[in-house]
Amino acid sequence: MELRKSLGLTVDLNTTEDGNSFIIEQRLPAGFRYTELDVVKLSSTGDGIGIDKLEDGTIEIVVVPYSIPGDRVKAKIYKRLEHYSLADFEEVISGGPARDDSLVKCKYFTQCAGCQLQMLPYEQQLRHKREVIVRAYKNFCSVSDGIIPEVGDTIASPLEYGYRTKLTPHFDVPRKGHVPADTPIGFTKKGRSYVIDIEECPIATPAINEVYKEERIRVRDNISSYKRGATLLFRESMEMDGTTDGTKKSVCIDSKDTVTEYVNRYRFKYPAGDFFQCNSSVLPRVTEYVNSQLQLPLSNDEYKSIPAPKYLVDAYCGSGLFSINCSQSVEEVIGVEISQKSVSCATSNAQENKVANAEFVLGDAAKIRTPSNETSMILDPPRKGCDSNFLNQLLDYLPRRIVYVSCNVHTQARDLGYILNDPRGSNYYVNSVRGFDFFPQTHHVESVAVLTLRTR
C-alpha cells in the first residue's frame, strides 16, 4: 500500500496483512543524516511518524521511535525504505502536549526495543490502543460501513509496571576468539540486531528482577563455557500460603519446570517454556469479560426469548485458561489443541480444579459434534491468526456465537473480514470489539471480538 497517498497515514507502518514486518531496503548514500522534524502521528508499532521538509521543497516521511504527536525532535536517519525512512531518536527539542518524561521509569528507555510509550500518560496509552484497533479494522477488514460497531474503550491493566511474569533476556558470544567477561546480557537495541546490557526491567515483576540479577552473575562467571549465545528464561510461579497477600512467589528458570498460576479461583499448572499469558493482573478481567459474552442472550429482534448457547468449543485451548474459567456458564466444554502436551496439561488442570464438564481433544475443529446452533466457540490463535483451512471448518460448522481473542488485531480484523464476506458467514452479527491492555508501556494490545449468528 502506498504510504504517501495520505498524510493522514491510514496505513500502519511496517505491518503486512499477517502482522509481520516488511523491509525494502535502500541505504542512504551518505549512510545517515541528522534532521529536526515534527511528529504528527503515532503508528501501531508505537513509533512516531514525522514529516521532514527537505531543501528542495519535497517532504520525507520518517519513523522516529520514542516520539509522540506534537513533539519536535532531533533524529538521525540511518535507512531509507521504499516509502519512508527509519531514524534513531536523538533528543526532544520541544515536547508535545501529551509528553511527560517524569513518567519514564527505565534508564534504558530510548535504547531498549521493549517499551515504546513510557513517556505517555496511561490513559493516553489506552486511547491510542483503541485507535490502533479502529485503524486495523478500517485497513484490514474489508466489510461495508456499519458492519463493525464502534470499538469499545480499552480495558486497563491493574498494574502499569511490574506486571510481566515472564522475561527472556539474551546474550551473544563471538563465534571465535575471546569471550569478554562483561558480555552484554539484556535485550535488543531498538532498530539494531545486537544486545545491550540491561540489569533490570521495570515492567517485569520484582521477583523476576531479583532472580535475574543473580543469574547475570552466574552466566558471566561461566561465560567461557558458552559456545554460542543463549536466551535466559524467567517465569514467575505462585502458591497459596499464609502470607499477607496469600501467595508465595518463586521464579522458574528451566523451561521444563512446572509453573503454578492462579486466575480467579482456579489453579493452572504448565511447563515454564510453554505459552501462557504473562500479565496475571489483567487475566481476571479478560476471562470474566469473555465469560460474560458467552452468556449474552440471543437478543436481536428475532431471538429475544432464546438463551445463550449451552455448549462451548475452545479452539486453541492451550492449558485450559478459558475452558476452565468459563466452564460454569455452559453444560459442556470441548477444548481443541494440536499439541498433545497442551491437551494433557489442560486435562490435568480441569481435573485438579474439579471441572467435570470439560473434555480436551487433539486435532481440529472438524471433530466437534455438538449442535452448532447451541454452541459458542472461543478462538485464541497465535499472532498469525487463523488459517483458511480452520476458517472454512468454522464456516461449515457455523457456531451460534464466536468470541475471538487476539494478540494481533490486524490478523483478527482480516479473519473477521473472511468470515463476514463468505456467503456462509454473512448472517453473523458483530456484537462488539474492544481491547485489553496486557502490556502497558508497549504498543501491544489484545482485542476481543464477539459475533452472533442471527439465522440459519
Side-chain angles (χ1 to χ4, degrees), residues 78-217:
Y78 65 87
K79 187 181 293 185
R80 174 171 286 146
L81 308 182
E82 186 176 25
H83 300 303
Y84 59 95
S85 294
L86 300 179
D88 289 330
F89 171 88
E90 292 290 313
E91 64 175 317
V92 176
I93 298 170
S94 60
R99 175 177 282 274
D100 184 353
D101 288 324
S102 71
L103 298 173
V104 175
K105 293 190 176 182
C106 180
K107 64 182 178 181
Y108 300 104
F109 186 66
T110 73
Q111 298 179 60
C112 174
C115 292
Q116 299 79 40
L117 305 175
Q118 289 191 23
M119 74 307 230
L120 194 62
Y122 191 49
E123 286 300 319
Q124 296 268 12
Q125 293 185 32
L126 296 175
R127 284 195 285 272
H128 167 66
K129 293 182 181 189
R130 177 187 178 276
E131 182 61 25
V132 167
I133 298 173
V134 170
R135 295 203 307 259
Y137 272 88
K138 181 177 181 180
N139 294 325
F140 296 108
C141 186
S142 302
V143 296
S144 302
D145 290 345
I147 298 297
I148 304 300
E150 182 177 356
V151 175
D153 292 339
T154 303
I155 303 299
S157 167
L159 295 177
E160 298 173 26
Y161 283 90
Y163 61 82
R164 276 198 73 109
T165 56
K166 179 184 178 183
L167 201 66
T168 53
H170 41 277
F171 63 93
D172 299 319
V173 297
R175 293 185 178 181
K176 296 181 180 179
H178 173 69
V179 180
D182 60 349
T183 295
I185 303 172
F187 303 96
T188 306
K189 180 175 173 60
K190 176 67 175 177
R192 305 297 192 274
S193 59
Y194 60 85
V195 175
I196 57 176
D197 194 54
I198 297 177
E199 73 279 4
E200 183 179 34
C201 177
I203 64 172
T205 66
I208 283 180
N209 275 313
E210 284 301 313
V211 177
Y212 176 38
K213 292 174 184 176
E214 298 168 1
E215 279 297 291
R216 280 169 54 87
I217 295 172

Side-chain angles (χ1 to χ4, degrees), residues 12 19 24 33 61 70 121 153 165 168 172 186 195 197 214 242 265 272 303 332 334 364 368 372 410 429 447:
D12 287 304
I24 304 172
R33 67 179 176 86
I61 296 173
D153 292 339
T165 56
T168 53
D172 299 319
V195 175
D197 194 54
E214 298 168 1
R265 64 185 183 86
Y303 291 108
E332 182 181 353
I334 301 174
D364 55 41
I368 302 305
S372 62
H410 303 93
Y429 168 79
S447 177

Side-chain angles (χ1 to χ4, degrees), residues 310-313 327 329-334 357-359 370 375:
K310 59 184 179 180
Y311 301 104
L312 171 62
V313 174
S327 60
S329 299
V330 293
E331 292 182 11
E332 182 181 353
V333 180
I334 301 174
N357 65 334
E359 175 189 4
T370 58
T375 300

Side-chain angles (χ1 to χ4, degrees), residues 337-366:
E337 254 295 346
I338 59 172
S339 163
Q340 180 59 60
K341 185 168 67 170
S342 294
V343 169
S344 299
C345 187
T347 300
S348 176
N349 284 329
Q351 291 171 349
E352 183 163 333
N353 286 288
K354 295 181 172 55
V355 174
N357 65 334
E359 175 189 4
F360 299 91
V361 299
L362 183 67
D364 55 41

Side-chain angles (χ1 to χ4, degrees), residues 226-239:
Y226 290 90
K227 304 302 181 185
R228 62 185 67 183
T231 296
L232 307 177
L233 171 65
F234 301 90
R235 190 115 210 190
E236 186 173 277
S237 181
M238 63 177 69
E239 283 290 353

